[in-house]
Amino acid sequence: MRSRLHNLRAWARDREFNLALAHGSHELTLTAHRLGIPSSTTFDYEWAWLQHQLGCRAATRVVVPDSIPVERLARYGATPPKLIQYPGLKEEYYLSDFEPDPGVRQSFGLDPERVLVVLRPPPDVSLYHRHSNPLFPQTLNHLGSLDSVHAFVLPRTEEQRDYVRSLALPSVIVPERAVDAQSLIALSDLVVSAGGTMNREAAALGVPVYTTYGGRLGGVDEELIRQGRLRPLTDPRALDLHKRTGADSTRTRRNPAELLQLLLSALPEDTEPG
């Protein structure tokens, strides 16, 4: 981390930045603080302890969803007026004008009569997800043997890609190239993910989504579960596998300009943005 901080500080020192915006990057807020640049940091998972201890304390503003309890953030030095909370999911803001590309399904030869399930493996490389969770492989094996399903897997690493392919499951698809994942999610019938962003994108796009995440749930996921927009999965046989219609979807769209204004609030009052 020291070398990254040194290199970032050397790069930014003479560029006359007015503001630094970060999503979970403590290196950026630490560098901005050292250089006297105001900064806003944002995140939506509060249990990354070391990252937030460093990043929140260095930031001018901490902008997070209001579903994260304030007492969980106070331990990082994030209290009002430094702390600002916004309603909903960040995905509801940046996906507000998103419309899926209908050609994505055809480009992979997906049978429109089969249930399309998009799967995302656990974040094996993340520090906060240290323990292996057998639920995802069980789910993959269950779906991969059903001839009524396309199980479309979006691996995180080459090792995960090789592992999924080695199973040789007849209903599993592992893409060879980059995928328009947001369109794929929007056009799918179901999402099963052990991660965070894909779960929340599915919820924002009105797609049924199950989580197999094995770590400690954050406030955002807890709220989505209370709302019925995210379902914890304990048994693959409990998956509700059916074709989804347009009437099944309920999207939430929020104005991204409102979130931007919260981030820009780190600027001194006499500074004009842009």
Side-chain angles (χ1 to χ4, degrees):
M1 186 178 79
R2 287 183 178 179
S3 63
R4 293 175 68 180
L5 285 169
H6 174 78
N7 292 337
L8 182 57
R9 188 164 59 247
W11 177 83
R13 181 179 292 114
D14 299 322
R15 294 178 182 266
E16 300 183 354
F17 287 110
N18 297 114
L19 180 66
L21 301 179
H23 187 277
S25 171
H26 57 278
E27 288 95 347
L28 184 58
T29 56
L30 286 167
T31 298
H33 181 75
R34 186 72 176 270
L35 297 176
I37 302 169
S39 67
S40 288
T41 188
T42 181
F43 54 86
D44 45 22
Y45 182 73
E46 67 271 28
W47 300 123
W49 185 86
L50 178 60
Q51 181 186 71
H52 299 329
Q53 282 288 359
L54 297 172
C56 290
R57 294 186 186 280
T60 310
R61 291 283 187 272
V62 177
V63 182
V64 298
D66 61 8
S67 53
I68 300 178
V70 293
E71 60 270 18
R72 297 182 187 176
L73 301 166
R75 70 188 68 195
Y76 306 129
T79 57
K82 171 184 279 195
L83 174 65
I84 300 176
Q85 294 186 278
Y86 61 86
L89 311 171
K90 72 178 189 299
E91 291 78 7
E92 293 169 345
Y93 293 86
Y94 72 72
L95 292 174
S96 62
D97 61 350
F98 171 76
E99 296 299 336
D101 176 3
V104 168
R105 290 185 65 127
Q106 291 89 331
S107 67
F108 289 99
L110 301 175
D111 184 345
E113 299 302 316
R114 297 172 74 164
V115 176
L116 175 58
V117 183
V118 176
L119 298 108
R120 182 72 157 166
D124 294 332
V125 296
S126 295
L127 291 176
Y128 55 80
H129 195 278
R130 297 178 183 274
H131 306 292
S132 177
N133 184 351
L135 184 56
F136 187 85
Q138 293 169 4
T139 302
L140 188 61
N141 278 286
H142 172 67
L143 294 174
S145 60
L146 299 176
D147 58 12
S148 61
V149 167
H150 280 310
F152 200 108
V153 181
L154 298 175
R156 297 171 184 268
T157 65
E158 285 301 321
E159 291 77 12
Q160 288 181 346
R161 187 186 306 276
D162 293 341
Y163 166 73
V164 174
R165 285 178 175 157
S166 72
L167 299 176
L169 295 167
S171 295
V172 167
I173 298 171
V174 184
E176 297 283 351
R177 61 185 188 275
V179 175
D180 178 358
Q182 291 170 347
S183 289
L184 191 67
I185 291 169
L187 298 169
S188 69
D189 299 300
L190 185 68
V191 171
V192 181
S193 173
T197 299
M198 186 169 288
N199 285 346
R200 292 187 290 272
E201 288 187 339
L205 293 169
V207 179
V209 54
Y210 290 82
T211 179
T212 63
Y213 180 59
R216 186 176 185 180
L217 289 179
V220 171
D221 280 358
E222 290 172 339
E223 180 61 23
L224 287 174
I225 290 170
R226 283 192 289 269
Q227 295 173 357
R229 299 168 68 192
L230 176 67
R231 287 175 273 187
L233 184 64
T234 56
D235 186 338
R237 293 169 297 181
L239 289 168
D240 183 9
L241 300 173
H242 71 272
K243 294 296 299 177
R244 187 168 62 91
T245 67
D248 296 331
S249 300
T250 303
R251 285 187 62 172
T252 302
R253 302 176 192 256
R254 299 181 187 270
N255 186 355
E258 295 176 0
L259 184 54
L260 177 60
Q261 286 304 309
L262 298 182
L263 295 169
L264 293 178
S265 70
L267 285 167
E269 292 185 3
D270 58 350
T271 302
E272 288 292 331

